[in-house]
Each structure stands twice: as C-alpha cells, then as structure tokens.
Amino acid sequence: MTMTANAMQSSSVNRRPITWSSPLTYALALAVAAVSITPVVYVVIGGFRTTPQIVADPAGLPSPWVWDNYARVLTQSNFWQQTFNSGVIALGTTLGVVLLGVSAAFVLARYTFRGREVLYTFFTLGLLFPAGAAILPLYLMLRDLNLINSYYAVILPQVAFQLPLTVVILRPFLSAIPRELEDAAAIDGTGRIGFLWRIVLPLSRPALVTVGILAFVASWNAFLLPLLVLGDASLHTLPLGVQNFSSQYTSDTAGILAFTSLAMLPALLFFTFAEKQIVGGLQGAVKG
C-alpha cells in the first residue's frame, strides 16, 4: 500500500499541467494582430494608389506610388479646420474626464459615508448604458440649453459618458494608496486637497494617463453625436469630414482612403506611443 501511494504521489508530482504551447500562443497573437492591423495598412497604402489601380487590383500594391492624394487632402483648408475642431473637442473632453473622474474616484475611494457603494454601483451601471439610446433626449436637452452648434454640445455629453469607465479605473488606484501616507500628510499640516494634489495624483499617474488616452481616442473617433449637434460645417470634426469628402468625391476611392488615413493618424499615433501606460493603468485597476 505504501509503495502504491508513493507511486501515485510521484506520478502526480511529475505530471505537468496542460498549458498552451508557445508556438500556438504566438500564432493566435499574430492572427489577432493581423486582423486588427490589416484594414489600417490597407487604407494607408490605398491612399498611395490611384482609383483605376484600386479598381483593377483591390489587394495590390501601388505601382507606381502616388503622393497626389495625400497632398490634395493636406492642401484643403477644410481638413485643417476639421483637425482643429477635433483637437479642441478631444482635449476639452479629456480634461473634463480626468478632472471630474479623479475627483469622484477620490471621494469614493478615500471617504466613508452612507451610500458610497450604491453610488459606485451607479457609476458601474453606466458602463451598460448605450450612448445611442440617449441621443434623442440628449439632443432635446442640448437644444433647450441653446448649446447646439457649439463645442460644448459635444464635450459635455462625452465627458458624462466617459465618467463611468474613468471612475472604475481610478478608484482601485486611489484605494490602494496606504493610509499611512495620508496620516503623515495630515501630521505635516496637509489637507485633503493638498494630499490629493501632492501625493495622490503623482502616484496615480499611470491610471490618469490611461483614462486620458481612452477619452481622447474615443472623442477623436466620435461620429454620431457630432453629426447630430454640429450642423454648422465650420464646426465639423474629422469623422464628419470623412463623410463629407466621401459624399463629395464618391468616385475618388483613392482620395477617400487618403483622407481617412490622415483623419485617423493622430489618434493612432497617440494610442501607439502611450500603449505601455494604458497597459500599466489597466493592470493596476485589475489588481486593485
């Protein structure tokens, strides 16, 4: 019996858990990356082709490479006006999301009061609320407030819809800061606002960068809300500019691809350069 038990124990020790092999893992990762990157690469390269080339061989490479499409888009005044509008709205949205989000998350993380968890649950339920379902009442409210055809008509709703995700990401970071630091700051005469400004914000930098980038990219790519509340063409953002360009130059497929490439380039570069910050921020939120 003893020998049988020892044999069973040794076999259980030697048995290795079933895991995914590295080649299969890398293959799946490459497949997912290919599915995500291929459309972007196709759009960018398509801008260097002519429309007859695309019609003749949709999946081919430029032969020869044509720069006129991008040059034509960059010389249009509408493109730069739309870029400016997108930048103002995206930066305004990001600033509002970070300021209001860190304020709300700080209260929910560091203060103890009745109904705190109910309020936090209210924020988390906001993640389940589709923005499209509120478009009509939102438009009527903005109209009654005389905010239609203004930057505020886009910035304020986008801040509101981004706050739930922001609070969910920031609260674990702020909760994980040791109470000893707050006590030491209080002994030194630092109030709660000073503690937030001098200690909490520097320690929460990865999370702040994460929510800021997510808010910026979401605002830059927003289409439905600007379409409904920005009737003035001088206030149109780049997504609306892509639609206008596509409607105006329906047969110019290469030009449309060039315009689309330039429209998505700032958000794509912004997201790519800050990828490590985003991963670090989300990992910290999960650990918290």
Side-chain angles (χ1 to χ4, degrees):
M1 292 292 293
T2 304
M3 295 179 60
T4 304
N6 292 335
M8 293 177 61
Q9 183 178 2
S10 62
S11 62
S12 61
V13 172
N14 295 330
R15 186 183 303 159
R16 296 181 180 180
I18 299 175
T19 59
W20 292 73
S21 61
S22 296
L24 180 58
T25 303
Y26 288 128
L28 290 175
L30 291 175
V32 173
V35 171
S36 303
I37 296 175
T38 299
V40 178
V41 174
Y42 178 82
V43 172
V44 174
I45 294 179
F48 290 103
R49 307 175 69 192
T50 62
T51 299
Q53 290 179 4
I54 297 176
V55 173
D57 186 8
L61 293 175
S63 180
W65 290 72
V66 179
W67 300 86
D68 294 342
N69 297 319
Y70 286 99
R72 180 156 48 90
V73 173
L74 292 174
T75 54
Q76 291 185 357
S77 59
N78 290 338
F79 173 80
W80 295 109
Q81 180 63 44
Q82 292 158 4
T83 302
F84 175 78
N85 295 336
S86 292
V88 170
I89 292 175
L91 291 176
T93 300
T94 303
L95 183 62
V97 167
V98 172
L99 290 178
L100 295 178
V102 72
S103 300
F106 180 73
V107 172
L108 292 172
R110 313 297 299 189
Y111 286 74
T112 301
F113 55 91
R114 181 180 298 177
R116 183 181 67 170
E117 296 304 321
V118 175
L119 184 58
Y120 179 69
T121 303
F122 178 78
F123 276 105
T124 57
L125 290 177
L127 297 174
L128 306 177
F129 186 78
I135 287 297
L136 180 58
L138 181 61
Y139 176 84
L140 297 177
M141 182 179 65
L142 293 173
R143 185 194 62 183
D144 294 339
L145 294 174
N146 294 322
L147 294 177
I148 299 297
N149 283 326
S150 68
Y151 291 143
Y152 296 108
V154 182
I155 293 176
L156 295 179
Q158 288 185 157
V159 170
F161 284 117
Q162 286 290 326
L163 275 180
L165 178 61
T166 302
V167 172
V168 169
I169 293 177
L170 289 180
R171 190 195 184 193
F173 267 88
L174 305 186
S175 299
I177 296 176
R179 290 287 177 181
E180 289 78 6
L181 291 178
E182 188 173 0
D183 296 338
I187 293 175
D188 292 338
T190 302
R192 288 188 178 269
I193 301 299
F195 173 70
L196 172 64
W197 180 258
R198 298 178 183 177
I199 298 177
V200 172
L201 294 184
L203 292 177
S204 304
R205 180 176 174 271
L208 295 176
V209 173
T210 298
V211 298
I213 292 172
L214 294 177
F216 182 90
V217 173
S219 176
W220 188 274
N221 295 328
F223 176 77
L224 182 58
L225 181 61
L227 177 65
L228 293 177
V229 301
L230 299 179
D232 190 352
S234 63
L235 296 175
H236 281 184
T237 58
L238 277 177
L240 299 182
V242 173
Q243 182 200 38
N244 296 336
F245 189 89
S246 302
S247 301
Q248 186 176 359
Y249 302 97
T250 307
S251 59
D252 188 5
T253 305
I256 295 173
L257 293 178
F259 198 108
T260 305
S261 300
L262 293 174
M264 67 180 180
L265 183 61
L268 185 63
L269 293 177
F270 192 59
F271 189 88
T272 301
F273 290 140
E275 177 185 0
K276 292 183 179 179
Q277 294 288 344
I278 295 176
V279 174
L282 294 178
Q283 287 179 345
V286 172
K287 292 178 181 179

